[in-house]
Amino acid sequence: MTEEANATRERNGEAPESGESRETDLRRVGIDPDFWYPLARSARLRRNKVHAASFAGRRIALFRTAGGTAYALEDRCAHRQVPLSLGVVDGETLRCCYHAWAYRGNGRISQIPYLPKGAERPPRGVRSFPVRERYGLVFVFPGDPARAEATPLPVLPEADSARHRTMMFSRSVRCHYTFLHENLLDMNHQFLHRGVLGRIQPKLLGYDTGPRSVEARYLFVPSGGRKDRGAGLLSAEGVGGASTPDVVTIRTEYPYQTLQTVPESSDAAAFSLWAAYVPEDAEQRVSRVFGLLMIAKPPVPGALHLAWPLIRRFTERVFAQDRMAVEAEQRAWDEQGADRNQEVFPLILDVRKVLRTNGTPLRPQAAGCPDADLCADPGGAAPR
């Protein structure tokens, strides 16, 4: 086998023919659709409005009826395939903007305005997706609908607690979702944030791993440098930002991720973060990050309200730096055609295993059609 041919096989995510075993390229592993994924903020999906979203190349139209119920439909009209996200809400139905075909929340066609009297409506509408709303987010179940009822939403008691205030994030990042898991779990990259966090010496206290999870515990020890004021306020250190160590616990519980910071001198978390990474395109190289930052309210009434703009600025600065790094990783993968990372941190090797074994192979898509189910059946999938 020539070196050139081996390189070609490697770019395709295949093992070299030399007999050397090789794991599947993690960036060619798709996310498992059989979970609840946030696709929009509830506040953005107002009554009588439609919102265009996507999950791994599948376009989804979210709409809220006049009665306030949220639904999710395949974003295409069964008639001429015009996106339903361009349509209008009419009472409890969604009408296509082109010929005004009306769809119920279950995807079935409820009316074709010009259909002759006595003629039957087409038997197929479009696929619907289970929807639930929680924590100010619209969650959609893009996988097997038969599994939706038995699959729990994430449990976030702090998001429902009056003792916490939640800051919400929704950002698009041009990278495979696995880069984001690695970024948050691997706290050895604090050098990247030295301009906003000062100098931090992270010490791995230990970690646990299982079939679907990896949880790591770090001790963050400040060692000088200037810290953003928002960082101190977020960590309950006050405006002065007392340089005390924090215990940071990060967990990937497939497919979500959490982070919790507890000051070493306290038993209570200063803040908790929950994040979901939702692939948008069919190749899953662009991800929508939804985050809920749940911050404990200080004893002084109104103090968190005053600190809010500084905390928001700090979190945006950190996120911008992380986004720069993971997007650079994705560009390198695109240029090289394969994952050439030389990882040495056992923790990240373990989380890669979790992501690889719980994910699904990215299926080759038919030319010009990002939805394999739809392409296989020109009539569209039967409404669920």
Side-chain angles (χ1 to χ4, degrees):
M1 192 69 175
T2 67
E3 183 176 339
E4 182 180 354
N6 260 330
T8 300
R9 293 179 63 82
E10 189 175 59
R11 284 194 296 272
N12 293 331
E14 302 171 359
E17 285 194 355
S18 62
E20 180 184 355
S21 63
R22 176 175 152 81
E23 290 183 301
T24 302
D25 189 331
L26 181 57
R27 318 312 170 185
R28 299 182 190 278
V29 175
I31 204 166
D32 186 349
D34 287 331
F35 288 90
W36 292 97
Y37 292 94
L39 292 190
R41 300 184 185 188
S42 291
R44 294 285 178 87
L45 190 63
R46 299 189 300 275
R47 290 175 187 256
N48 300 311
K49 296 296 181 181
V50 193
H51 176 79
S54 62
F55 178 87
R58 171 170 282 169
R59 293 185 293 109
I60 296 174
L62 304 173
F63 72 100
R64 193 181 298 282
T65 67
T69 304
Y71 291 104
L73 300 180
E74 193 177 1
D75 194 6
R76 65 176 188 93
C77 179
H79 179 213
R80 299 283 186 88
Q81 313 303 307
V82 172
L84 288 175
S85 57
L86 298 177
V88 295
V89 178
D90 183 6
E92 298 302 302
T93 64
L94 175 60
R95 287 192 181 274
C96 176
C97 69
Y98 198 8
H99 291 81
W101 285 30
Y103 294 85
R104 300 188 185 95
N106 62 4
R108 295 190 181 277
I109 301 166
S110 67
Q111 186 194 31
I112 298 174
Y114 53 87
L115 191 69
K117 188 175 182 180
E120 292 186 1
R121 289 192 293 270
R124 290 182 181 271
V126 295
R127 178 179 174 182
S128 65
F129 300 88
V131 176
R132 291 183 186 175
E133 291 191 74
R134 194 73 188 272
Y135 314 125
L137 295 169
V138 180
F139 287 85
V140 173
F141 197 88
D144 182 355
R147 298 183 179 183
E149 190 64 31
T151 304
L153 285 169
V155 179
L156 306 173
E158 295 92 345
D160 293 327
S161 170
R163 296 188 299 243
H164 294 77
R165 184 178 175 185
T166 300
M167 184 178 290
M168 191 177 295
F169 302 90
S170 174
R171 298 286 187 275
S172 182
V173 183
R174 302 190 68 81
C175 76
H176 194 264
Y177 64 95
T178 57
F179 286 118
L180 293 159
H181 276 274
E182 293 176 7
N183 170 264
L184 187 61
L185 195 62
D186 187 356
M187 285 289 126
N188 294 311
H189 76 271
Q190 294 312 304
F191 184 76
L192 176 69
H193 303 308
R194 62 195 181 279
V196 289
L197 283 173
R199 292 191 299 274
I200 295 289
Q201 294 179 346
K203 177 183 178 182
L204 182 64
L205 301 176
Y207 74 94
D208 303 300
T209 185
R212 291 187 52 245
S213 66
V214 177
E215 181 176 286
R217 297 168 298 284
Y218 294 89
L219 182 66
F220 269 30
V221 181
S223 60
R226 185 175 180 179
K227 181 187 293 187
D228 186 288
R229 284 192 297 169
L233 293 168
L234 178 60
S235 300
E237 297 173 354
V239 177
S243 296
T244 56
D246 295 323
V247 177
V248 179
T249 302
I250 308 158
R251 182 178 180 85
T252 287
E253 179 74 35
Y254 193 91
Y256 314 120
Q257 203 164 35
T258 59
L259 180 150
Q260 186 181 74
T261 295
V262 180
E264 194 180 36
S265 58
S266 174
D267 294 327
F271 67 89
S272 301
L273 171 70
W274 175 86
Y277 312 125
V278 183
E280 294 188 317
D281 60 318
E283 293 182 325
Q284 304 196 17
R285 297 187 193 179
V286 179
S287 302
R288 170 67 60 172
V289 178
F290 287 91
L292 299 175
L293 182 62
M294 297 153 282
I295 308 170
K297 294 179 179 178
V300 180
L304 185 56
H305 175 76
L306 294 175
W308 205 252
L310 293 174
I311 294 174
R312 169 69 77 171
R313 187 191 68 172
F314 162 71
T315 56
E316 294 288 358
R317 291 181 69 187
V318 171
F319 183 84
Q321 292 172 345
D322 284 331
R323 177 160 56 184
M324 176 275 295
V326 295
E327 289 186 345
E329 289 185 282
Q330 181 64 61
R331 284 194 302 273
W333 189 97
D334 293 338
E335 293 165 0
Q336 297 166 0
D339 189 346
R340 300 190 181 276
N341 291 358
Q342 299 186 42
E343 187 54 60
V344 297
F345 196 24
L347 170 64
I348 298 306
L349 294 175
D350 280 356
V351 79
R352 285 185 174 190
K353 181 178 179 181
V354 167
L355 296 170
R356 186 179 285 110
T357 57
N358 286 277
T360 59
L362 281 176
R363 293 179 297 175
Q365 303 295 340
C369 181
D371 192 324
D373 294 335
L374 175 59
C375 294
D377 179 5
R384 306 286 182 174

